[in-house]
Amino acid sequence: MRDFTTDHRWLSINTATVRKSRGVEVPLIDILDACAQRGIRAVAPWRDQVAAAGLANVARTLKAHGLELSGYCRGGMFPAADTAGLQAALDDNRRAVDEACTLGAPCLVLVVGGLPGALDGKAAHKNIALARSQVADGIASLLEYAHERSMPLSIEPLHPMYAADRACVNTLEQALDLCDALDPARSGALGVAVDLYHVWWDPKLQAQVQRAGQDRLHAFHVCDWLTPTTELLTDRGMMGDGIIDIRQARGWVEAQGFAGYSEVEIFSSTNWWQRDMGEVLDTCIARHRSAV
Ligand code: ZN
């Protein structure tokens, strides 16, 4: 297992972690500058942040700083209430693949979606099995497009509390079942993003990490689970402040040969997004050494 205690060369910052500084939205370019100043070597930007900054501008800035990506956030949201909606989702996902290619991402992370309309509080139906079959069809279709462009797709299982509105793929086992069904040859084109916030509780986690193997372990996301958690989406904790045994899980992933970045992804509306970006990044570096 790699020793993270003396440096932060394998730290990546998911740019949502510093989406806001003192409660104010931070332009992506400022985030990239601040990461580079601290010797952080990788980031995972979000599509909305890239769009606001301009794709070419972001690509140029990444190159100027020598910053790598640990992933691109995100594609997915496949289910829809009608054919036009399914097609629109697919079109948008293809654009996400193109952007990921432009940015030199190692993979496009997929948050697959849940019941159509649920995110806006108006679920079109209650058929989660239908949503799951639309997810499988959507990934299958996108996979052809992505494979031609050599952009791996990484399914991120989300905690079951998001099954209705964000992702009806909720365990690593479910994600790997999709990988087996859609890429039985294990071509490397389809794999998983293991985000400990979503999967730490799973009694099958270690076994499923072993099942995934190096070729399907595309990304590793860390933060912490706070007790109590006061908000479903934006109350993630800094590594070391919660109850996830991050180092144990990293050991399992690395035992399979994973040697990529440990990506810090914290959504925290009342704590970290209220602090200064520099303080948050410095804390990420310190906790990467002490708690990851
Ligand atoms: Zn994640």
Side-chain angles (χ1 to χ4, degrees), residues 12-14 42-46 68-74 100 103-109 154 218-219 221 261 263:
S12 171
I13 297 293
N14 184 297
V43 294
W46 281 66
E68 292 190 329
L69 262 55
S70 55
Y72 188 43
C73 291
R74 58 176 163 61
L103 297 173
C107 61
L108 174 66
V109 172
S154 312
H218 290 179
H221 301 174
Y261 288 100
E263 177 183 319

Side-chain angles (χ1 to χ4, degrees), residues 159 161-162 196-198 200 222-246 265-273 275 287:
H159 190 282
M161 67 180 169
Y162 304 112
L196 291 187
Y197 191 72
H198 298 300
W200 68 270
V222 298
C223 65
D224 218 332
W225 184 281
L226 300 175
T227 51
T229 292
T230 58
E231 212 278 334
L232 291 186
L233 186 65
T234 60
D235 192 28
R236 294 187 179 203
M238 180 64 67
M239 300 80 71
D241 287 347
I243 50 74
I244 302 178
D245 192 335
I246 299 172
E265 184 181 30
I266 300 172
F267 314 148
S268 173
S269 54
T270 58
N271 186 359
W272 298 102
W273 286 348
R275 304 201 197 191
R287 298 297 182 84

Side-chain angles (χ1 to χ4, degrees), residues 4-269:
F4 283 179
T5 61
T6 54
D7 62 56
H8 57 284
R9 76 177 67 181
W10 293 109
L11 166 68
S12 171
I13 297 293
N14 184 297
T15 56
T17 304
V18 283
R19 180 179 279 284
K20 291 179 181 173
S21 178
R22 299 182 188 277
V24 178
E25 201 87 17
V26 186
L28 181 58
I29 301 300
D30 293 1
I31 296 173
L32 301 182
D33 291 346
C35 286
Q37 278 165 15
R38 287 169 173 76
I40 292 166
R41 302 194 307 149
V43 294
W46 281 66
R47 287 187 77 197
D48 66 304
Q49 293 174 304
V50 169
L55 181 63
N57 190 23
V58 173
R60 210 166 32 240
T61 306
L62 289 169
K63 198 171 177 196
H65 286 317
L67 275 166
E68 292 190 329
L69 262 55
S70 55
Y72 188 43
C73 291
R74 58 176 163 61
M77 297 293 166
F78 294 102
D82 54 32
T83 325
L86 291 170
Q87 186 59 46
L90 191 54
D91 291 344
D92 190 52
N93 273 294
R94 288 178 175 169
R95 285 192 291 275
V97 167
D98 293 342
E99 292 165 24
C101 291
T102 300
L103 297 173
C107 61
L108 174 66
V109 172
L110 300 179
V111 171
V112 299
L115 299 172
L119 203 50
D120 306 315
K122 294 185 277 269
H125 59 72
K126 300 181 180 180
N127 191 346
I128 197 166
L130 173 63
R132 286 179 172 144
S133 82
Q134 289 180 343
V135 165
D137 292 346
I139 295 175
S141 180
L142 185 64
L143 191 57
E144 283 181 41
Y145 185 86
H147 196 38
E148 283 167 14
R149 288 154 185 80
S150 302
M151 179 52 61
L153 301 178
S154 312
I155 304 168
E156 180 166 335
L158 259 54
H159 190 282
M161 67 180 169
Y162 304 112
D165 54 6
R166 292 177 195 276
C168 55
V169 171
N170 306 105
T171 61
L172 197 50
E173 182 173 35
Q174 232 185 319
L176 290 169
D177 286 349
L178 280 168
C179 292
D180 284 351
L182 302 178
D183 184 29
R186 300 184 79 106
S187 69
L190 187 60
V192 294
V194 175
D195 185 329
L196 291 187
Y197 191 72
H198 298 300
V199 300
W200 68 270
W201 56 273
D202 186 348
K204 293 183 178 174
L205 181 58
Q206 184 180 14
Q208 293 299 318
V209 164
Q210 287 168 348
R211 173 188 171 194
Q214 184 178 15
D215 57 309
R216 281 190 173 147
L217 291 169
H218 290 179
F220 182 65
H221 301 174
V222 298
C223 65
D224 218 332
W225 184 281
L226 300 175
T227 51
T229 292
T230 58
E231 212 278 334
L232 291 186
L233 186 65
T234 60
D235 192 28
R236 294 187 179 203
M238 180 64 67
M239 300 80 71
D241 287 347
I243 50 74
I244 302 178
D245 192 335
I246 299 172
R247 200 159 277 168
Q248 179 186 63
R250 182 164 71 84
W252 293 342
V253 168
E254 294 195 5
Q256 296 307 310
F258 178 81
Y261 288 100
S262 181
E263 177 183 319
V264 177
E265 184 181 30
I266 300 172
F267 314 148
S268 173
S269 54

